[in-house]
Amino acid sequence: MSRFDSYFLMKEADVAEYINEKLDFFASGAQLEVKEIGDGNLNYVFRIREEKTRKSIIVKQAGEALRISAEMKISTDRNRIESEILLLQYKYAPGLVPKIYQYDTVMCACIMEDLSDYQLMRYALMEHKTFPRFADDVTTYMVNTLLNTTDVVMEHKEKKGLVKSFINPELCEITEDLVYTEPYNNVNKRNLVTPANAQFVQKELYDDEALHLEVAKLKFEFMNNAQALIHGDLHTGSVFVNQQGTRVFDPEFAFYGPMGYDIGNVIANLFFAWDNGNAAGAKDFCDWVLKTAVEVIDLFKKKFLVCYAQRVTDVMAKTKGFAEYYLNTIIIDTAACTGLELIRRTVGMAQVKDVTTIADQEKRVFAERVNIICAKDCIVNRRNFVTGDDFVQAFLRALKALKV
Ligand code: SR1
Ligand code: MG
């Protein structure tokens, strides 16, 4: 019998005993320091470290309620989903996701590699640091984890088995509400709108019925297009970076959905980094961000076609012209999802620090308006987006339209 045989939410004081019971990682009698370092909206993340050997490891546990809202309860099974997906992705994208040592479906916790040599990408970008490897790494990660889990590559019954085991209704519902519904009507009264933008948001988002129709179409596409095993929350807070590499983590929102959702999240979050850099006058950083956005789309497309030719197994998917057609639909979805993420992080309940920490109110109001105008262009005109430059041009058009 162990006290970890039934679920409870651990505190720092519980975690050293937990790790020693579960894994032979530290020598017996090692002096362990435990610190809770979780920064997301949902989970508890403990770093366990031995000063003498400098060895460290992470325990991540799912709580029964969200950290950002005690009233919102969600299944702790998300920890199993996240662990199993990371194990699968480690196979497809080695060196680009953290290593999972073990997961525990009783305590709803997993034990994983500590990435303390890396920095959370959102915070690094808020310090206006640049990462020359990012576009290359994130596109390798996306092509390998996305294309390899589609029906184009995977045996169809095997793929359907994955659809079943990674069905993730509760976390998908959060996305359906926070991304695809509330930003357009505040139906659950939890949007966070900067007061000086209240009228702007009313006109541009709440009163725009043509926009609502497009978002409604996209919502049902998100819910019904079981295209690939997507990360589901690929913002810059789900990425660790340093000058040598990139690690994508936190795929607890993963399920079989449209690939464009992941790619669009990356692009939108680069634009948030631009907002922050622009408010601080960091011109070189802003230029790097836009160049990176172009590279993310263009490298994704290039690598996708190479990987497609090497890995395609479905007979009909080998038809001449199909790869290009299929990729084109992914880029259209990417444009739409870039817009959806830009909007929901600007007016919804889960915002991004890149924008919320802009202290000068006038600059923040401006950044939010740029995001919304660019987003609408990406959603409504999504079928016109083909290259990386099309995404950056949409952002520059919004900037130009709002400059007085
Ligand atoms: C209620 S959870 C809010 C957001 O945090 C996660 O990272 C997802 O982006 C989710 O939408
Ligand atoms: Mg997260």
Side-chain angles (χ1 to χ4, degrees), residues 79-129:
N79 188 272
R80 173 196 63 83
I81 292 182
E82 171 173 0
S83 308
E84 290 183 357
I85 283 167
L86 282 172
L87 289 166
L88 189 76
Q89 292 185 336
Y90 199 82
K91 218 174 72 186
Y92 290 126
L96 293 169
V97 297
K99 190 169 169 45
I100 295 286
Y101 296 113
Q102 200 181 99
Y103 68 98
D104 168 358
T105 52
V106 173
M107 290 296 286
C108 305
C110 57
I111 305 174
M112 66 169 93
E113 177 186 8
D114 184 19
L115 297 169
S116 51
D117 297 346
Y118 287 72
Q119 189 178 7
L120 200 65
M121 186 168 183
R122 188 177 307 287
Y123 294 145
L125 295 177
M126 287 169 63
E127 292 170 19
H128 310 137
K129 292 183 185 161

Side-chain angles (χ1 to χ4, degrees), residues 32 80 91 170 195 240 390 404:
L32 302 182
R80 173 196 63 83
K91 218 174 72 186
E170 295 189 17
F240 278 117
D390 292 335
V404 277

Side-chain angles (χ1 to χ4, degrees), residues 39-43 60 82 231 233 235 237-238 249-253 345:
D39 179 54
N41 298 322
L42 281 83
N43 301 298
K60 179 171 179 181
E82 171 173 0
H231 178 286
D233 199 23
H235 55 81
S238 296
F249 71 111
D250 214 13
E252 64 196 326
F253 281 78
R345 297 290 191 187

Side-chain angles (χ1 to χ4, degrees), residues 242-253:
N242 64 25
Q243 295 302 315
Q244 282 74 49
T246 308
R247 296 281 190 283
V248 179
F249 71 111
D250 214 13
E252 64 196 326
F253 281 78

